[in-house]
């Protein structure tokens, strides 16, 4: 039987509680005090009538607020949680005392050793774990956490050796406050991680290093529509053309499509066609055989059964366009300096910010290649067309950069949020990311203000001279209409917009109706 008593923090109340058990000749096997207002008592089971009488007697004690039966003492629950954790941890775990004697061992360790718990507990850890003198480390003047290559039954493991300490606050009150008592070393925990398992985890992380669709911040209707379309196209194998301005997130969408496809377990490799010379791009894409006969595989070969992203396909040279066209038609190509054909199975993603139709008319891009690539297509909207995404992106970037820079995440002032939403962002998400990183790098306070943002283009934006034509009343109305048109997407209800501009809900509703401004 286990009881929990909720009581006041009063001198002598514990003695009065114990006297109730003593008066009934009830032997207690455990007593625990959690904080000053919780007392837990464990005793043999009682008959219902005896238990009811005991609880009534306990409730009559001055300061006892409640008495109830519980399933576990706090220490029992904690012990059970530790045992469950130790049993289910996949890594091998030993706990030792200050003399290096094993006091606790988990199931994976016993399985690896092929021994029972009694055959391991009470023995020195050096009998089982080799490669590092844990006892010598425990006896050193300064015991710090270690990561070492350790051996268990001739198998290599990556070992984390962590000191176990408890707070030494005995007689602390009698000591000078200036003399802080250090924690007392009581032992260590040794965690052995399999090298093979670490390798598998690393490969798993590499496979899933790309952003999935659920990781893309999308609050705007345009981005929701784009992601829904991309999810449908991701499962197909036909080439996918992704259009959009620079920095809008075309590569992010391509990576998410690869991650959602049946090729996600294989490679995703990319090449920026505008960033490398023609000869280098050919070798990078198709591979090369040197004069010494050494073969260097290219991106298409390395990404076999995976995906390849050709960034800025409009800048690919005419020669590479011809060679790439043959790959699309036959699935085969020749490495540079080799006569033997190589056949691969890759899905092609292409991105461009150029007008390919215009490049075709200028003779800079092959029309037949265009029709081979433009089987499936989508356009990533510019950031200024999806202003609802700006603030969530800002908070996300600030969280990431604050962690990277090891600083507190700053507050974003109302003024800076207004500026971020009103700016046109010609560089799109990439520019937003760079501006925030620059600001957080130099920020000294805890609040981000407009003066902290490096937005030189915002200072030089020109005004539309047409706004000032006609009378003052006509110019004011044109400006008022333009202001409402720009703010309404970010404050998509008349009440939100009215609060933003400091006017009544009715006034905003009337003006939106007069200017024929709708959410669309």
């Amino acid at each position: 039987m286990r009881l929990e008593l909720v009581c006041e923090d009063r001198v002598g109340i514990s003695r009065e509680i114990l006297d109730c058990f003593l008066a009934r000749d009830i032997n207690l096997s455990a007593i625990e005090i959690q904080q000053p207002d919780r007392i837990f008592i464990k005793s043999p089971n009682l008959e219902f009538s005896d238990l009811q009488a005991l609880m009534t007697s306990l409730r009559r004690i001055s300061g006892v607020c409640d008495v109830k039966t519980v399933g576990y003492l706090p220490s029992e629950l904690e012990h059970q949680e530790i045992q469950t954790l130790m049993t289910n941890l996949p890594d091998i775990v030993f706990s030792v005392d200050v003399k290096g004697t094993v006091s606790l061992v988990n199931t994976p360790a016993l399985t690896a050793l092929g021994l029972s718990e009694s055959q391991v507990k009470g023995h020195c850890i050096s009998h089982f774990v080799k490669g590092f003198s844990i006892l010598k480390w425990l006896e050193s003047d300064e015991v710090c956490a270690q990561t070492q290559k350790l051996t268990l039954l001739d198998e290599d493991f990556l070992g984390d050796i962590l000191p176990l300490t408890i707070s030494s606050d005995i007689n602390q009150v009698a000591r000078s406050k200036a003399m802080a008592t250090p924690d007392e070393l009581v032992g260590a925990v040794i965690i052995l991680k399999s090298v093979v398992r670490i390798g598998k985890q690393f490969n798993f992380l590499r496979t899933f290093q790309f952003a999935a669709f659920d990781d893309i911040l999308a609050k705007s209707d345009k981005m929701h529509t784009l992601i829904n379309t991309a999810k449908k196209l991701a499962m197909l194998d036909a080439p996918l053309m992704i259009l959009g301005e620079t920095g809008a997130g075309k590569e992010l969408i391509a990576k998410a499509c690869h991650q959602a496809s049946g090729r996600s377990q294989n490679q995703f490799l990319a090449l920026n066609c505008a960033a490398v010379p023609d000869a280098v791009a050919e070798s990078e894409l198709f591979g090369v055989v040197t004069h010494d006969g050494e073969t260097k595989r290219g991106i298409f070969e390395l990404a076999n059964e995976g995906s390849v992203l050709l960034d800025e396909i409009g800048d690919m040279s005419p020669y590479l366009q011809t060679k790439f066209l043959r790959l699309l038609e036959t699935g085969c190509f020749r490495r540079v300096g080799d006569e033997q054909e190589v056949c691969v199975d890759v899905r092609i993603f292409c991105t461009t910010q150029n007008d390919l139709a215009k490049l075709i008319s200028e003779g800079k891009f092959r029309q037949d290649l265009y029709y081979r690539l433009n089987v499936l297509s989508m356009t990533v909207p510019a950031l200024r067309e999806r202003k609802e995404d700006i603030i969530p992106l800002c908070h996300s970037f600030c969280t990431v950069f604050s962690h990277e820079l090891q600083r507190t995440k700053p507050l974003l002032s109302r003024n800076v949020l207004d500026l971020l939403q009103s700016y046109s962002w010609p560089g799109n998400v990439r520019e937003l990311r760079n501006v925030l990183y620059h600001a957080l790098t130099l920020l000294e306070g805890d609040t981000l203000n407009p003066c902290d943002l490096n937005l030189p283009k915002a200072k030089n934006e020109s005004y539309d001279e047409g706004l000032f034509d006609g009378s003052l009343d006509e110019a004011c109305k044109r400006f008022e209409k333009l202001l409402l048109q720009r703010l309404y997407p970010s404050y998509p209800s008349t009440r939100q917009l009215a609060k933003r501009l400091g006017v009544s809900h009715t006034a905003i509703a009337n003006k939106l109706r007069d200017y024929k401004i709708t959410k669309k």
Side-chain angles (χ1 to χ4, degrees):
M1 179 188 72
R2 297 164 182 82
L3 296 178
E4 177 187 0
L5 289 82
V6 181
C7 52
E8 297 175 359
D9 184 13
R10 175 173 65 81
V11 175
I13 192 170
S14 298
R15 178 59 182 271
E16 295 176 28
I17 291 172
L18 296 180
D19 285 344
C20 283
F21 288 87
L22 180 63
R24 289 168 172 76
D25 198 25
I26 300 174
N27 187 33
L28 302 184
S29 55
I31 302 173
E32 295 181 18
I33 298 178
Q34 292 282 317
Q35 303 173 340
D37 60 344
R38 290 286 192 280
I39 298 177
F40 295 85
I41 297 175
K42 180 180 179 181
S43 68
N45 291 330
L46 301 177
E47 295 292 337
F48 179 76
S49 57
D50 294 336
L51 175 61
Q52 195 172 30
L54 172 65
M55 295 177 70
T56 301
S57 177
L58 290 170
R59 289 191 179 100
R60 289 174 179 166
I61 297 174
S62 175
V64 174
C65 305
D66 188 25
V67 182
K68 60 182 179 181
T69 59
V70 292
Y72 299 94
L73 297 182
S75 62
E76 292 175 329
L77 183 60
E78 183 179 358
H79 178 74
Q80 184 63 35
E81 290 172 344
I82 292 174
Q83 285 297 115
T84 302
L85 178 64
M86 291 287 287
T87 301
N88 290 282
L89 271 176
D91 297 321
I92 293 172
V93 180
F94 294 93
S95 179
V96 300
D97 59 20
V98 289
K99 296 182 178 180
T101 302
V102 178
S103 56
L104 192 65
V105 58
N106 72 342
T107 303
L110 297 175
T111 302
L113 291 169
L115 300 174
S116 65
E117 187 174 8
S118 60
Q119 292 174 305
V120 178
K121 290 177 67 173
H123 294 272
C124 185
I125 187 65
S126 61
H127 292 166
F128 311 107
V129 178
K130 312 292 183 181
F132 180 76
S133 178
I134 296 174
L135 184 57
K136 186 176 180 181
W137 170 74
L138 286 167
E139 293 173 346
S140 61
D141 294 335
E142 187 175 355
V143 181
C144 301
Q146 299 281 327
T147 298
Q148 299 284 339
K149 178 183 176 183
L150 301 176
T151 304
L152 183 75
L153 296 180
D154 298 326
E155 183 180 349
D156 290 337
F157 291 86
L158 181 66
D160 287 330
I161 309 167
L162 311 172
L164 281 178
T165 59
I166 60 173
S167 178
S168 300
D169 55 358
I170 301 174
N171 297 326
Q172 184 69 21
V173 177
R175 296 170 183 249
S176 170
K177 292 184 178 180
M179 296 174 58
T181 305
D183 290 344
E184 180 184 354
L185 180 69
V186 294
V189 172
I190 299 97
I191 305 173
L192 303 183
K193 301 176 182 178
S194 168
V195 175
V196 175
R197 185 166 173 268
I198 292 174
K200 289 180 179 179
Q201 290 175 329
F202 178 74
N203 290 333
F204 181 84
L205 286 174
R206 284 189 61 194
T207 302
F208 290 91
Q209 64 183 319
F210 305 124
F213 286 115
D214 292 341
D215 298 325
I216 298 176
L217 287 176
K219 299 296 183 182
S220 63
D221 292 339
K222 287 190 175 183
M223 281 302 292
H224 279 300
T225 302
L226 175 72
I227 290 175
N228 290 334
T229 301
K231 286 180 178 179
K232 296 176 183 177
L233 302 183
M235 299 306 296
L236 306 177
D237 272 339
L240 175 59
M241 180 82 72
I242 305 175
L243 310 174
E245 297 181 3
T246 180
K250 300 187 292 295
E251 184 174 346
L252 185 67
I253 295 294
K255 289 177 178 179
C257 286
H258 169 80
Q259 180 62 33
S261 73
R263 300 173 179 266
S264 61
Q265 300 294 324
N266 299 306
Q267 290 274 25
F268 177 96
L269 299 177
L271 179 73
N272 190 324
C273 300
V276 292
D278 195 17
V280 176
E282 183 180 12
S283 299
E284 287 293 320
L285 288 172
F286 301 100
V288 62
V289 176
T290 64
H291 296 295
D292 300 331
E294 183 181 353
T295 299
K296 177 188 175 184
R297 294 188 297 168
I299 286 176
F300 288 126
E301 199 171 349
L302 292 169
N304 188 33
E305 298 185 351
S307 304
V308 171
L309 170 65
L310 298 177
D311 195 16
E312 296 305 330
I313 187 69
D315 293 313
M316 180 179 280
S317 70
Y319 170 71
L320 284 182
Q321 290 179 35
T322 303
K323 194 165 183 178
F324 180 42
L325 177 62
R326 185 170 184 279
L327 170 66
L328 290 175
E329 292 174 341
T330 66
C332 300
F333 62 90
R334 289 188 179 94
R335 304 186 190 97
V336 178
D338 192 11
E339 296 182 357
Q340 183 179 357
E341 282 200 334
V342 178
C343 295
V344 294
D345 171 25
V346 294
R347 187 186 186 183
I348 303 297
F349 295 98
C350 294
T351 69
T352 182
Q353 59 178 318
N354 296 318
D355 184 350
L356 292 184
K358 182 180 179 181
L359 294 179
I360 291 172
S361 65
E362 295 173 352
K364 297 179 180 180
F365 199 82
R366 293 181 62 114
Q367 189 175 33
D368 50 359
L369 178 58
Y370 173 75
Y371 289 120
R372 282 281 184 182
L373 291 174
N374 195 28
V375 180
L376 307 171
S377 65
M378 65 179 72
T379 301
V380 181
L383 188 56
R384 61 181 174 276
E385 298 173 3
R386 46 185 176 106
K387 290 185 177 292
E388 300 94 326
D389 296 330
I390 293 177
I391 301 306
L393 284 170
C394 291
H395 287 296
S396 176
F397 286 145
C398 286
T399 300
V400 173
F401 296 151
S402 297
H403 180 73
E404 180 181 334
L405 299 171
Q406 297 183 345
R407 56 154 299 138
T408 304
K409 180 183 176 182
L411 298 174
L412 302 181
S413 68
R414 181 70 256 179
N415 289 337
V416 84
L417 293 177
D418 290 341
L419 175 59
L420 290 168
Q421 284 199 305
S422 62
Y423 183 59
S424 60
W425 299 111
N428 292 290
V429 180
R430 183 184 295 119
E431 183 184 11
L432 173 64
R433 185 182 188 279
N434 293 341
V435 166
L436 290 174
Y437 186 79
H438 180 271
L440 263 66
T441 301
L442 302 179
L443 185 66
E444 295 182 356
D446 294 326
T447 302
L448 195 65
N449 292 299
C451 60
D452 299 313
L453 301 181
N454 184 20
L455 291 174
K457 293 183 180 180
K459 302 175 184 177
N460 300 323
E461 289 182 343
S462 59
Y463 293 99
D464 183 1
E465 293 294 334
L467 286 174
F468 305 107
D469 292 341
S471 65
L472 176 62
D473 183 57
E474 291 171 339
C476 288
K477 287 183 177 180
R478 278 195 296 273
F479 179 80
E480 186 177 59
K481 179 180 179 180
L482 179 62
L483 177 65
L484 292 173
Q485 286 175 331
R486 291 191 174 182
L487 288 180
Y488 198 27
S490 302
Y491 301 88
S493 76
T494 52
R495 294 189 183 279
Q496 292 179 20
L497 188 55
K499 183 177 179 181
R500 166 68 180 82
L501 295 174
V503 296
S504 69
H505 162 251
T506 305
I508 287 295
N510 291 336
K511 289 183 183 294
L512 292 174
R513 185 180 63 253
D514 293 342
Y515 293 130
K516 298 180 180 179
I517 299 174
T518 65
K519 292 182 179 180
K520 295 183 179 179

